[in-house]
Amino acid sequence: DDKIMDAAAFEKFLHERVKVNGKTGQLGDVVKISRDKSKITVEASAKFSKRYLKYLTKKFLKKQNLRDWMRVVASDKNT
């Protein structure tokens, strides 16, 4: 809610960039990305790497010139 990072733009970025079976932008029923105000949820029924999600998040932050001020951290090992 502090307007530093635009959650809608990040959700759109994920929809465009997430690869499923080597193809970008074709999520189908395998990966579901949803947003509730400032919280974004990614649900995957197939194998989906947390490292890949962190990579995409860092890429988005770099594109928005926020990488120097924000850090990507997981809340626990299984999230």
Side-chain angles (χ1 to χ4, degrees):
D1 293 336
D2 53 11
K3 307 292 184 211
I4 293 174
M5 189 172 129
D6 185 14
F10 182 53
E11 180 187 20
K12 183 176 183 257
F13 178 83
L14 288 178
H15 275 287
E16 294 170 352
R17 299 292 175 104
V18 169
K19 283 187 179 181
V20 177
N21 296 327
K23 297 180 182 176
T24 55
Q26 298 181 359
L27 302 179
D29 294 334
V30 179
V31 178
K32 293 183 176 148
I33 301 170
S34 59
R35 177 176 52 95
D36 180 41
K37 293 187 181 180
S38 63
K39 182 178 180 180
I40 294 180
T41 307
V42 179
E43 295 178 36
S45 58
K47 186 178 178 183
F48 192 81
S49 171
K50 179 171 64 171
R51 184 178 300 262
Y52 180 57
L53 189 59
K54 283 181 78 170
Y55 164 77
L56 288 174
T57 305
K58 289 177 182 180
K59 196 169 188 168
F60 176 78
L61 291 175
K62 183 70 174 175
K63 185 178 174 184
Q64 301 294 320
N65 296 322
L66 296 172
R67 183 77 174 98
D68 295 334
W69 294 281
M70 295 179 83
R71 195 174 119 193
V72 180
V73 217
S75 57
D76 68 21
K77 190 172 183 174
N78 296 323
T79 57

